[in-house]
Amino acid sequence: MTDARATLRVLYGDTDAMGQAYYGNYMRWFEVGRAEWFRTLGTSYRRLEEDGIFLPVIEAHCRYFKPAFYDDLLEIETRFRFSGPARLRFDYTIRKNGPDGPIAEGYTVHVCVDAQRRVLKPPAPLRSLLEKHQVQQGTSPSQRQPRP
């Protein structure tokens, strides 16, 4: 199992009129975590696309617990598991720097497609790489019981 951690700072442009991080940015931050997860495996999205493999998002979910504000330092933890023969699921936990626990958790589900956008199972080299680094079902952050 491989967890990746990425850190970023909330920019002023990431905030809304209430001074907190705009909710849509969390999906962008999930992408930061996902890209870093691939880098920890020694590859990248760019490399996958050069090999003719694309991973469009087909499902996304985020549960917000606490807001992030301008200049907060955030850590995005990313984990991976398969969610079907051609589906890849990434689970994310976003935390502020400190002991407060997660401020958001979520997931994205992707499907493998070729350059013509035909769905395909992950090619053998990619599948092998992913299998070595997936979490066991039920251990990802978003599999926890809902909070009150």
Side-chain angles (χ1 to χ4, degrees), residues 24-137:
N25 286 325
Y26 289 74
M27 291 298 158
R28 190 168 49 89
W29 297 338
F30 288 174
E31 184 176 356
V32 169
R34 195 167 56 249
E36 193 59 34
W37 188 86
F38 276 107
R39 285 186 192 102
T40 65
L41 304 187
T43 192
S44 67
Y45 261 117
R46 178 172 293 204
R47 176 100 185 243
L48 292 173
E49 290 177 353
E50 288 169 353
D51 292 341
I53 302 166
F54 299 86
L55 302 173
V57 174
I58 60 168
E59 183 179 344
H61 175 77
C62 185
R63 183 147 184 214
Y64 307 92
F65 304 120
K66 299 175 188 172
F69 297 95
Y70 168 67
D71 212 34
D72 282 348
L73 187 61
L74 304 180
E75 178 184 75
I76 303 120
E77 177 185 344
T78 305
R79 295 179 175 179
F80 165 79
R81 68 181 168 90
F82 285 102
S83 96
R87 292 179 181 220
L88 291 68
R89 177 174 165 146
F90 293 89
D91 292 290
Y92 312 93
T93 302
I94 299 178
R95 291 183 176 82
K96 283 188 190 181
N97 195 12
D100 289 340
I103 64 168
E105 292 179 341
Y107 65 87
T108 56
V109 177
H110 305 253
V111 65
C112 285
V113 299
D114 63 16
Q116 289 73 42
R117 302 302 189 245
R118 292 182 299 233
V119 176
L120 56 113
K121 290 182 181 176
L126 176 60
R127 181 173 258 314
S128 175
L129 184 68
L130 295 172
E131 285 174 343
K132 289 183 211 172
H133 299 283
Q134 71 177 324
V135 296
Q136 298 305 312
Q137 191 163 355

Side-chain angles (χ1 to χ4, degrees), residues 1 5 9 20 22 31 47 98 110 131 137 144 146:
M1 168 178 73
R5 287 181 169 69
R9 192 168 297 279
Q20 65 188 47
Y22 176 66
E31 184 176 356
R47 176 100 185 243
H110 305 253
E131 285 174 343
Q137 191 163 355
R144 296 181 190 143

